[in-house]
């Protein structure tokens, strides 16, 4: 079975809030604010894809990414952890706010790949945080989809998947072909590629497409548009934390309980 | 028509009141009626109650939704929204809402807006506010194609107010789906107080360092009649179950009191605790962002602080 994992390169999500800025002209973080990295949930999806290959559930993994030229780094990383192929839809980042347009681009590329039966996506890209692309791709392919998955095995021609539900873990059987969105899990931390694999990855060819080559010119992309970004802003954070000044734990606990009582925050202890 | 839909069992729950509240206010602004749909195996009571909160029509969409993943709910809501000519369908932004929203929008040839925290109407256009970049910023978005299917962040919209009375409930059965996604089973569901309903939450983060440390949080939570929460780092490290995660990609909570123990306060975590009345942060780093969200802070190693706090509370307990 051929699996496709959808990747996205995003602004370093660990950039502290006090350093985060938005350029009002572009409604985006200014260029060079922080490095861009393979998104955290995309890392989980990639790790799951590789585990499925090692476990014999899939025999081939293609990493597919839409993003600017520099985002090819994420595809090199995917090749270094032994994805078999990589494909890049070269599109400048401002085009990728709208999940419907992103899904349309990815879909056009998926249709050109060799009969994939499983598409893995991160649960949400850590920049715009829509959490829609995997679901839209599934719906447009008319494939079933299961979200927030963290473990998958093969079972009688179907996939057996564990997902995070409202009140705990749930197991579903999913008919193929299918889409799954992947959530973070302790078992899905992306491995590091070794030096030999990294070197080999740098020599591997990456298939590239422009949106036009996928049949999606400006008009087609505009027609796929669903969401207009009207404004983006960074909220003002006021610090009004009252620090309990005490070196000794017993003093600190007493002072905290006093303040909680005065503020009527611990009624039953007041 | 504005359609509000939530999972209910028994009376109208908190999520239902919030989503209905948002729908009633939006309907009043736009001059649209509101329909409420309760989904679940025992949805009729909540549907009837919704009439007293401003819903003009009430539906109980009854069935075993778990059996098909989100598919049954999507099919049922798509049918209802088409029939009612819904301009917007509002859902709760939880695990189920996240599964349903984008696909329901697609089937209605509309637009999904996820995790909305506000909606404004300007010249008849709807502008939705939602967190972006892991909660570091907010964006206002407009749907280019209606209907809109919006998932609403818990605690961001005020609850509907009761006006008394009840609506006649129209009951429908969940459509049969093709079985492409089939429920097999679940791990024993969490016991104790659900995070979303807890008045006190004791949450731990990367600073805790081990699964064993969470046992101490359990003890503190027990003494306070609260629930245990965890940061993404703690969940990814395997120290706490995923359903315990608080934050943008976990639960959005609104307790009276939120203890953040060894949590640095990444934006994505802070995005889940904005509804807390008061946050108490215990962290060794005085510059940790958690202190920007805290009412009271203790700059100390939790290992020194927590045992003393637990002892003190145990002494005070009746």
């Amino acid at each position: 079975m051929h699996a496709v994992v959808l990747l996205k390169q995003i602004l370093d999500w660990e950039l502290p809030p006090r350093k985060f800025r938005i350029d009002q002209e572009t409604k985006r973080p200014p260029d060079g604010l922080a490095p861009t990295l393979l998104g955290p949930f995309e890392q989980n999806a990639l790790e799951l894809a590789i585990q499925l290959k090692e476990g014999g559930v899939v025999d081939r993994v293609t990493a597919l990414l839409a993003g600017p030229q520099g985002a090819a780094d994420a595809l090199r990383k995917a090749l270094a952890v032994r994805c078999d192929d990589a494909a890049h839809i070269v599109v400048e980042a401002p085009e990728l706010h709208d999940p419907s347009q992103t899904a349309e681009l990815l879909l056009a590329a998926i249709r050109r790949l060799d009969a994939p039966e499983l598409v893995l996506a991160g649960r949400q890209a850590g920049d715009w945080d829509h959490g829609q692309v995997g679901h839209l791709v599934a719906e447009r392919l008319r494939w079933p989809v299961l979200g927030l998955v963290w473990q998958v095995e093969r079972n009688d021609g179907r996939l057996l998947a564990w997902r995070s539900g409202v009140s705990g873990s749930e197991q579903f059987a999913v008919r193929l072909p299918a889409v799954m969105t992947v959530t973070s899990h302790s078992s899905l931390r992306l491995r590091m590629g070794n030096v030999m694999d990294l070197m080999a990855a740098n020599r591997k060819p990456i298939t590239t497409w422009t949106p036009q080559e996928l049949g999606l010119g400006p008009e087609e992309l505009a027609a796929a548009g669903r969401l207009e970004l009207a404004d983006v802003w960074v909220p003002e954070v006021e610090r009004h934390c009252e620090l309990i000044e005490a070196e000794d734990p017993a003093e600190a606990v007493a002072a905290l309980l006093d303040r909680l009582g005065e503020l009527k925050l611990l009624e039953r202890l007041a | 028509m504005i359609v509000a839909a939530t999972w209910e069992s028994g009376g109208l729950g908190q999520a239902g009141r919030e989503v209905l509240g948002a729908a009633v206010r939006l309907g009043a602004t736009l001059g649209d009626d509101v329909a409420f749909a309760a989904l679940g195996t025992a949805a009729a009571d909540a549907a009837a109650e919704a009439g007293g909160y401003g819903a003009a029509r009430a539906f109980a969409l009854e069935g075993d939704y778990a059996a098909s993943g989100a598919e049954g709910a999507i099919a049922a809501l798509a049918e209802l929204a088409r029939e009612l000519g819904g301009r917007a369908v509002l859902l709760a932004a939880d695990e189920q809402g996240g599964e349903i929203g984008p696909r329901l929008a697609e089937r209605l040839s509309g637009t999904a807006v996820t995790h909305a925290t506000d909606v404004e109407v300007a010249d008849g256009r709807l502008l939705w506010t939602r967190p972006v970049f892991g909660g570091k910023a907010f964006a206002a978005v407009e749907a280019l194609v209606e209907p809109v299917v919006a998932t609403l962040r818990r605690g961001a919209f005020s609850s509907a107010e009761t006006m008394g009375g009840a609506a006649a409930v129209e009951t429908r059965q969940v459509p049969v789906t093709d079985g492409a996604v089939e429920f097999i089973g679940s791990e024993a569901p969490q016991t104790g107080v659900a995070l979303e309903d807890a008045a006190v939450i004791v949450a731990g983060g990367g600073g805790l360092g081990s699964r064993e440390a969470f046992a101490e949080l359990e003890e503190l939570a027990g003494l306070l009649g609260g629930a245990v929460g965890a940061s993404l780092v703690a969940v990814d490290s395997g120290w706490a179950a995923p359903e315990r995660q608080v934050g943008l990609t976990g639960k959005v909570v609104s307790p009276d009191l939120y203890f953040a123990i060894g949590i640095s306060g990444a934006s994505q975590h802070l995005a889940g605790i904005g509804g807390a009345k008061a946050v108490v942060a215990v962290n060794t780093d005085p510059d940790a962002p958690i202190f920007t969200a805290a009412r009271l802070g203790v700059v100390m190693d939790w290992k020194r602080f927590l045992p003393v706090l637990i002892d003190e509370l145990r002494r005070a307990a009746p």
Side-chain angles (χ1 to χ4, degrees), chain B residues 16-56:
Chain B
R17 278 198 292 272
E18 288 178 15
V19 174
L20 189 51
V24 167
R25 286 187 299 276
L26 188 57
T29 311
L30 296 171
D32 279 335
D33 275 343
V34 170
F36 179 74
L39 293 87
T41 45
D45 288 354
E49 217 181 307
Y53 287 88

Side-chain angles (χ1 to χ4, degrees), chain B residues 14-19 22 25 91-94 115-118 151-159 196 251-255 271-276:
Chain B
Q14 180 58 29
R17 278 198 292 272
E18 288 178 15
V19 174
R25 286 187 299 276
L91 311 165
D94 56 14
H115 231 93
T117 56
D118 196 11
T151 69
L152 311 184
R153 184 201 276 191
R154 183 80 185 260
F157 293 83
S158 33
S159 299
E196 296 95 318
K251 310 288 188 198
V252 175
V253 298
S254 44
I273 62 173

Side-chain angles (χ1 to χ4, degrees), chain B residues 269-297:
Chain B
H269 187 76
L270 301 185
I273 62 173
K277 282 207 189 95
V279 173
V280 175
V282 181
N283 202 298
T284 47
D285 176 9
D287 294 324
I290 190 68
F291 289 115
T292 62
R295 177 74 182 81
L296 296 169

Side-chain angles (χ1 to χ4, degrees), chain B residues 39-80:
Chain B
L39 293 87
T41 45
D45 288 354
E49 217 181 307
Y53 287 88
R57 295 183 70 179
F59 298 85
L61 305 180
E62 297 209 317
D64 177 13
Y65 289 95
S68 65
E71 187 53 44
I74 293 168
L77 288 172
E79 199 177 298
L80 186 70

Side-chain angles (χ1 to χ4, degrees), chain A residues 126-236:
Chain A
D127 46 10
W128 298 111
D129 285 316
H130 288 295
Q132 294 201 38
V133 167
H135 296 281
L136 294 181
V137 165
E139 201 64 19
R140 289 174 193 178
L141 286 167
R142 299 185 186 280
W143 289 6
V145 54
L146 191 65
L148 311 184
V149 167
W150 47 267
Q151 190 184 307
V152 177
E153 56 199 81
R154 185 127 198 176
N155 180 277
D156 277 348
R158 291 193 294 179
L159 293 181
L160 211 51
W162 282 102
R163 73 177 293 257
S164 297
V166 173
S167 59
S169 302
E170 302 168 339
Q171 196 179 34
F172 284 87
V174 183
R175 193 189 291 159
L176 289 164
V179 176
M180 294 189 183
T181 79
V182 182
T183 191
S184 59
H185 193 269
S186 51
S187 64
L188 294 179
R189 285 196 194 171
L190 182 59
R191 67 195 64 194
M192 304 278 283
N194 67 39
V195 178
M196 293 303 286
D197 288 333
L198 279 166
M199 283 165 62
N202 284 330
R203 288 193 299 269
K204 277 204 174 179
I206 292 177
T207 306
T208 60
W209 290 294
T210 63
Q212 284 84 357
E213 285 167 340
L214 294 170
L216 293 165
E219 267 176 44
E220 287 81 9
L221 272 181
R226 294 286 183 276
L227 272 178
E228 187 162 290
L229 188 59
D231 197 8
V232 187
W233 66 95
V234 179
E236 302 241 332

Side-chain angles (χ1 to χ4, degrees), chain B residues 110-201:
Chain B
T111 304
V113 175
T114 52
H115 231 93
T117 56
D118 196 11
V119 58
E120 274 177 46
V121 182
D123 304 328
R125 297 155 61 211
L126 303 185
L127 267 183
W128 303 84
T129 301
R130 52 186 307 280
V132 293
F133 293 94
K136 288 199 252 297
F138 284 87
V141 295
E142 184 187 356
L144 298 171
V145 185
E146 288 191 355
V148 179
V149 179
T151 69
L152 311 184
R153 184 201 276 191
R154 183 80 185 260
F157 293 83
S158 33
S159 299
E161 284 172 33
T162 179
M163 306 163 203
V169 176
E170 301 170 49
T171 299
R172 301 185 178 182
Q173 298 304 313
V174 55
V176 176
T177 58
D178 69 355
V181 175
E182 186 197 345
F183 180 69
I184 303 296
S186 58
E187 274 183 354
Q190 61 184 6
T191 51
V193 191
L195 277 174
E196 296 95 318
D197 302 323
V200 178
I201 293 173

